C-alpha cells in the first residue's frame, strides 16, 4: 500500500474520460500519472491497444517505483467485424484491469484506449460500468480513447473531448519518436 497522507487519499475516487479525435488523450493521462506519482500515489496504466514497438512512456515509467505501465492489449486496429481473438484479448485485459483495481494497491488507474475497445464492440460498456461501480473507494480512474460510449460519459465525473482542429499527420508528418511514441 502507498504511504501517502490519508487526507490526500480520501479525496480520490472520481472517474475521468478523455475522448475525441484530437491528439492528447493518452498524453494527458500520462501527465496526470506523472503528477500523481510525484505526490506518492501508486499509479497504474493498463493499455488496451498499443503496437509492440517501444513507447517513450514505457521507458519513463521505469524511472518511477510507483508508476507502472502494462501494455496488454491488441497490437492492431479493428475493422467493422471484430475477430474472436480480438474480443478475447480485450476481455482478458479488462479482467486484469478489474483484478488490479480491486486489489486496492493503486490510487490512480488509467485504462488507456479502453474507449476504442468499447466502440469497436470488443467490450460491453455495461460491463465496464459494472466494474467501475464495484471498485473499492478512493481509487481515481481515467478512461482514454476515441468514441467513448454514452454509458461511460454518463457514469463519469469528468469528461474532456479533445477536438481535432489540426494535426500534422494531415500534411504528411508521420509519428515522431518522443512526441507521438
Ligand atoms: P497521444 O498519444 O499523442 O496523446 P491520443 O491518445 O490523443 O494521442 P490516439 O487516438 O490514441 O490519440 O492516437 C493514436 C496515435 O495517433 C498517437 O500516436 C497519436 O499521437 C496519433 N494521433 C492522435 N490524433 C491524431 C489525428 N487526429 N491524426 C493523426 N494521428 C493522430
Ligand atoms: Mg491514445
Amino acid at each position: 500500500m502507498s504511504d501517502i497522507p490519508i487526507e490526500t487519499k480520501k479525496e480520490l475516487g472520481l472517474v475521468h474520460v478523455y475522448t475525441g479525435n484530437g491528439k492528447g488523450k493518452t498524453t494527458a493521462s500520462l501527465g496526470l500519472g506523472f503528477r500523481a506519482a510525484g505526490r506518492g500515489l501508486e499509479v497504474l496504466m493498463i493499455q488496451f491497444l498499443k503496437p509492440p514497438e517501444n513507447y517513450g512512456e514505457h521507458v519513463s515509467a521505469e524511472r518511477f517505483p510507483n508508476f507502472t505501465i502494462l501494455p496488454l492489449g491488441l497490437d492492431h486496429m479493428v475493422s467493422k467485424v471484430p475477430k474472436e481473438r480480438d474480443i478475447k484479448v480485450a476481455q482478458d485485459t479488462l479482467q486484469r484491469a478489474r483484478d488490479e483495481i480491486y486489489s486496492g494497491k493503486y490510487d490512480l488507474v488509467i485504462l488507456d484506449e479502453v474507449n476504442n475497445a468499447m466502440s469497436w464492440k470488443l467490450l460491453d460498456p455495461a460491463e465496464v460500468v459494472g466494474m467501475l461501480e464495484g471498485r473499492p473507494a478512493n481509487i481515481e480512474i481515467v478512461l482514454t480513447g476515441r468514441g467513448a460510449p454514452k454509458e461511460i460519459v454518463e457514469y463519469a465525473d469528468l469528461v474532456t473531448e479533445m477536438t481535432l482542429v489540426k494535426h500534422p499527420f494531415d500534411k504528411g508528418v508521420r509519428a515522431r519518436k518522443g512526441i507521438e511514441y
Side-chain angles (χ1 to χ4, degrees):
M1 277 304 244
S2 52
D3 186 21
I4 53 164
I6 191 75
E7 315 82 71
T8 304
K9 171 99 178 144
K10 77 177 189 224
E11 289 184 336
L12 305 182
L14 302 183
V15 174
H16 311 208
V17 172
Y18 307 153
T19 193
N21 292 336
K23 175 177 163 78
K25 301 172 289 292
T26 296
T27 46
S29 69
L30 287 166
L32 182 65
F34 178 68
R35 175 180 286 165
R39 293 295 190 186
L41 301 178
E42 288 292 330
V43 182
L44 175 68
M45 175 185 267
I46 292 187
Q47 296 179 316
F48 282 73
L49 170 77
K50 281 290 135 145
E53 59 271 29
N54 201 9
Y55 273 78
E57 53 262 41
H58 299 162
V59 182
S60 299
E62 279 169 18
R63 299 192 180 197
F64 291 81
N66 55 336
F67 197 155
T68 305
I69 302 183
L70 300 175
L72 301 175
L74 298 175
D75 61 359
H76 57 269
M77 299 288 177
V78 169
S79 54
K80 277 182 203 128
V81 185
K83 295 194 176 64
E84 280 297 311
R85 170 93 198 126
D86 296 342
I87 294 172
K88 168 91 170 80
V89 170
Q91 292 285 346
D92 288 351
T93 305
L94 183 65
Q95 182 57 46
R96 177 69 181 272
R98 183 185 287 111
D99 291 346
E100 298 291 359
I101 292 169
Y102 284 40
S103 77
K105 265 166 52 189
Y106 298 99
D107 304 301
L108 170 64
V109 178
I110 301 161
L111 305 179
D112 187 37
E113 317 298 351
V114 70
N115 296 331
N116 306 58
M118 289 183 277
S119 77
W120 294 342
K121 314 277 185 234
L122 302 176
L123 296 176
D124 179 357
E127 199 182 341
V128 175
V129 170
M131 176 193 72
L132 296 175
E133 278 173 344
R135 76 190 190 280
N138 306 126
I139 300 177
E140 197 92 358
I141 304 279
V142 179
L143 300 100
T144 89
R146 298 174 186 221
K150 66 174 190 326
E151 296 91 327
I152 294 292
V153 169
E154 273 161 24
Y155 182 73
D157 302 286
L158 181 162
V159 180
T160 296
E161 182 161 15
M162 273 66 177
T163 305
L164 173 62
V165 177
K166 276 182 163 187
H167 194 290
F169 182 81
D170 296 329
K171 60 176 181 189
V173 180
R174 308 303 298 265
R176 292 159 303 150
K177 197 171 193 171
I179 305 295
E180 272 79 39
Y181 67 97

